[in-house]
């Protein structure tokens, strides 16, 4: 994969993981007043936003799974990562909910800064809410060599895992387990 293609690929993955934050803002700016709870436009917007986010995340997940290189890993220690990831993600969503009253330029600047921070954190930590909703679990793995990385798997209980045989590399520190 060329350097430019890899850069664009990683930005798409970052955008996919940041889509939930953008969706929170998008829904907050069009939130109905209490008397308009069943306003049709709001629910159409919500459905399109959620559907678009899920479709985008799912399509990237499918394209990641088509990669040719497969890695293996010997596990020294493994633990679930969702309990550490969700508070950060929810915190970003809460921040965006408070942006609905600001001017578009300020909102754009704030969302850009949050996206860049998310992108920088993603080098060592990848979390995608859509993939979580699609049944994938995130694990922090310490390898036998002492390195720490994230493994994304559909298997719910990995307490006694000693190795991974079929892993696709998403970035330097994140791998997706290929289903057999």
């Amino acid at each position: 994969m060329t350097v430019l293609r890899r850069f664009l690929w990683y930005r798409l993955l970052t955008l996919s993981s940041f889509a939930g934050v953008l969706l929170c803002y998008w829904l907050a700016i069009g939130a109905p007043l209490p008397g308009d709870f069943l306003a049709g436009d709001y629910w159409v917007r919500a459905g399109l936003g959620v559907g678009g986010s899920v479709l985008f995340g799912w399509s990237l997940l499918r394209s990641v799974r088509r990669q040719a290189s497969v890695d293996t890993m010997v596990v020294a220690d493994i633990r679930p990562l969702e309990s550490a990831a969700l508070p950060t993600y929810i915190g970003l969503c809460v921040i965006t909910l408070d942006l609905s009253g600001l001017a578009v330029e300020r909102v754009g600047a704030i969302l850009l800064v949050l996206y860049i921070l998310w992108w920088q954190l993603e080098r060592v930590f990848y979390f995608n809410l859509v993939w979580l909703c699609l049944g994938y679990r995130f694990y922090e793995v310490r390898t036998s060599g002492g390195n720490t990385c994230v493994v994304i798997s559909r298997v719910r209980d990995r307490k006694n895992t000693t190795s991974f045989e079929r892993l696709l590399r998403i970035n330097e520190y994140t791998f997706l387990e290929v289903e057999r």
Side-chain angles (χ1 to χ4, degrees), residues 22-64:
L22 297 174
L23 182 62
C24 282
Y25 172 72
W26 193 50
L27 294 177
I29 61 171
L33 299 172
D36 296 333
F37 184 70
L38 297 176
D41 289 345
Y42 178 76
W43 293 108
V44 169
R45 181 199 300 246
L48 289 174
V50 170
S53 295
V54 170
L55 184 62
F56 183 48
W58 179 81
S59 63
L60 285 174
L61 180 64
R62 301 304 299 176
S63 62
V64 165

Side-chain angles (χ1 to χ4, degrees), residues 96-108:
T96 60
L97 291 175
D98 198 35
L99 299 177
S100 60
L102 297 177
V104 174
E105 299 82 20
R106 286 187 177 189
V107 170

Side-chain angles (χ1 to χ4, degrees), residues 29-152:
I29 61 171
L33 299 172
D36 296 333
F37 184 70
L38 297 176
D41 289 345
Y42 178 76
W43 293 108
V44 169
R45 181 199 300 246
L48 289 174
V50 170
S53 295
V54 170
L55 184 62
F56 183 48
W58 179 81
S59 63
L60 285 174
L61 180 64
R62 301 304 299 176
S63 62
V64 165
R65 294 172 70 204
R66 284 187 288 226
Q67 291 181 8
S69 64
V70 176
D71 293 321
T72 61
M73 180 184 302
V74 178
V75 175
D77 186 39
I78 188 168
R79 68 181 185 93
L81 193 58
E82 288 90 358
S83 61
L86 278 174
T88 303
Y89 206 83
I90 291 170
L92 283 173
C93 289
V94 169
I95 289 169
T96 60
L97 291 175
D98 198 35
L99 299 177
S100 60
L102 297 177
V104 174
E105 299 82 20
R106 286 187 177 189
V107 170
I110 291 169
L111 288 175
L112 181 63
V113 168
L114 289 175
Y115 176 76
I116 290 170
L117 287 172
W118 187 253
W119 168 29
Q120 294 302 315
L121 287 173
E122 197 173 63
R123 291 183 182 176
V124 294
F125 173 76
Y126 184 87
F127 182 75
N128 191 324
L129 187 62
V130 171
W131 293 6
L132 182 68
C133 292
L134 291 174
Y136 285 84
R137 298 293 174 247
F138 295 77
Y139 297 97
E140 181 180 58
V141 176
R142 189 172 47 84
T143 66
S144 59
N147 297 322
T148 301
C149 58
V150 174
V151 173
I152 304 168

